[in-house]
């Protein structure tokens, strides 16, 4: 493969604006086939299990295979 | 006779005697509240897909307010009534038109970020947050994104609506 293209963040076919003026309240960290980590000030509202939480950090399943939804249980590695 | 549907920059409008609903298709993230809650009014399989006479105005307003993006928004046809609309109506056009806002509007960038795990669907993130993906990090203020949770999207990491076809349960 000739070099890797840097992924550009797109939402609804528009490149997302990058705003450095305000400090983000929460930070999302995504990987290609693994879970998403969220840290900071956020409210987690789980509609299926009818739970509302305000944890400091959470790791959400993004592969669809977890048996502990909405959290990651490392099923993506299997 | 007055036209029941029309266009605005970026989308279409649908109206009845009391309110106008704005539909901006490019903003839709497939959260699916509209047709899950009120298929009589919002039926994606019908043309036109919005029937403004199929439910009471209060119910249409309630469902439009559930839309997590600005894909759907609404306003009273009587402009004077729009000024009194409160923040509980999240999708009133007032919140996108500063001239209709009163003084002292809250700074949304200080609020906790909203993370909504939708039933058998994507996770919606709204607010002021940063996002790190593939070595890129961006700060997004007042943004809404919809991320795939089923692992099957063709638009990774974003949701493209595939979870409906694959029968995602989560």
């Amino acid at each position: 493969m000739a070099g890797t293209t840097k992924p550009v963040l797109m939402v609804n076919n528009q490149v997302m604006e990058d705003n450095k003026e305000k400090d983000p309240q929460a930070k999302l960290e995504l990987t290609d086939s693994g879970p998403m980590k969220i840290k900071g000030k956020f409210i987690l509202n789980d509609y299926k299990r009818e739970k509302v939480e305000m944890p400091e950090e959470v790791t959400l399943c993004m592969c669809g295979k977890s048996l502990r939804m909405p959290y990651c249980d490392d099923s993506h590695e299997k | 006779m007055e036209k029941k549907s029309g266009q605005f920059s970026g989308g279409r409008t649908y109206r009845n005697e009391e309110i106008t609903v704005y539909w901006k298709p490019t903003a839709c993230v497939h959260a699916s509240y509209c047709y899950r809650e009120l298929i009589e009014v919002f039926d994606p399989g019908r043309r036109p897909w919005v029937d403004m006479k199929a439910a009471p105005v209060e119910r249409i307003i309630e469902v439009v307010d559930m839309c997590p993006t600005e894909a759907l928004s609404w306003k009273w046809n009587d402009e004077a009534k729009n000024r009194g609309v409160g923040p509980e109506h999240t999708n009133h056009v007032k919140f996108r038109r500063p001239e209709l806002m009163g003084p002292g509007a809250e700074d949304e960038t200080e609020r906790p970020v909203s993370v909504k795990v939708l039933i058998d669907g994507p996770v919606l993130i709204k607010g002021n947050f940063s996002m790190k993906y593939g070595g890129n990090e961006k700060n997004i203020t007042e943004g809404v994104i919809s991320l795939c949770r089923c692992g099957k999207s063709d638009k990774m990491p974003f949701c493209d609506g595939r979870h409906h076809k694959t029968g995602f349960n989560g």
Side-chain angles (χ1 to χ4, degrees):
Chain A
M1 239 168 68
T4 42
T5 26
K6 249 191 171 179
V8 179
L9 294 179
M10 305 272 288
V11 173
N12 299 313
N13 304 320
Q14 288 169 0
V15 178
M16 281 193 287
E17 60 176 308
D18 191 11
N19 190 326
K20 298 277 188 216
E21 278 168 31
K22 305 265 185 178
D23 283 337
Q25 298 292 304
K27 294 187 173 199
L28 319 183
E29 272 183 49
L30 284 128
T31 49
D32 255 335
S33 46
M36 169 168 67
K37 212 173 252 181
I38 310 176
K39 289 180 205 173
K41 215 169 103 188
F42 64 96
I43 297 167
L44 181 69
N45 195 331
D46 182 352
Y47 284 73
K48 184 144 180 171
R49 286 143 290 257
E50 298 185 350
K51 272 195 301 190
V52 182
E53 303 171 297
M54 236 183 128
E56 282 173 13
E57 188 179 329
V58 77
T59 307
L60 296 182
C61 169
M62 304 299 265
C63 74
K65 293 180 193 156
S66 174
L67 302 172
R68 219 166 54 85
M69 285 291 191
Y71 313 106
C72 170
D73 70 349
D74 290 329
S75 288
H76 59 275
E77 289 174 359
K78 288 166 198 161
Chain B
M1 213 183 111
E2 200 177 12
K3 272 180 75 180
K4 288 200 190 74
S5 69
Q7 292 188 336
F8 72 104
S9 59
R12 289 181 180 277
T13 59
Y14 302 93
R15 60 189 289 151
N16 57 25
E17 280 78 16
E18 288 179 83
I19 62 166
T20 299
V21 167
Y22 295 76
W23 157 235
K24 194 175 167 191
T26 53
C28 178
V29 297
H30 312 287
S32 317
Y33 287 100
C34 54
Y35 64 83
R36 277 193 196 169
E37 289 286 333
L38 199 55
I39 187 82
E40 298 87 344
V41 173
F42 302 102
D43 184 348
R46 184 183 56 201
R47 292 293 176 272
W49 80 288
V50 180
D51 179 357
M52 293 294 289
K53 292 211 183 297
V57 167
E58 297 71 29
R59 181 68 184 139
I60 297 177
I61 289 173
E62 195 181 4
V63 173
V64 170
D65 282 339
M66 285 179 194
C67 178
T69 69
E70 57 178 78
L72 289 173
S73 54
W74 68 279
K75 76 176 183 79
W76 295 107
N77 295 336
D78 176 0
E79 203 58 63
K81 273 172 96 172
N82 287 318
R83 286 168 202 280
V85 171
E88 71 277 15
H89 291 298
T90 47
N91 275 34
H92 188 275
V93 291
K94 174 163 137 176
F95 303 108
R96 285 181 269 288
R97 285 171 53 187
E99 72 273 18
L100 289 173
M101 296 281 271
E106 197 190 332
D107 185 357
E108 290 205 15
T109 59
E110 300 291 318
R111 272 195 220 160
V113 172
S114 156
V115 178
K116 292 181 179 176
V117 175
L118 301 183
I119 299 172
D120 305 334
V123 53
L124 282 175
I125 322 258
K126 191 174 183 175
N128 171 17
F129 56 91
S130 71
M131 178 169 168
K132 204 172 180 179
Y133 178 66
N136 262 3
E137 184 160 7
K138 297 225 173 202
N139 285 5
I140 298 150
T141 34
E142 292 175 58
V144 184
I145 57 171
S146 170
L147 300 173
C148 171
R149 284 202 309 128
C150 75
K152 300 282 197 294
S153 173
D154 289 331
K155 277 201 326 184
M156 284 293 194
F158 301 103
C159 170
D160 70 349
R162 273 287 291 279
H163 53 273
H164 281 302
K165 288 172 198 138
T166 56
F168 174 55
N169 179 356

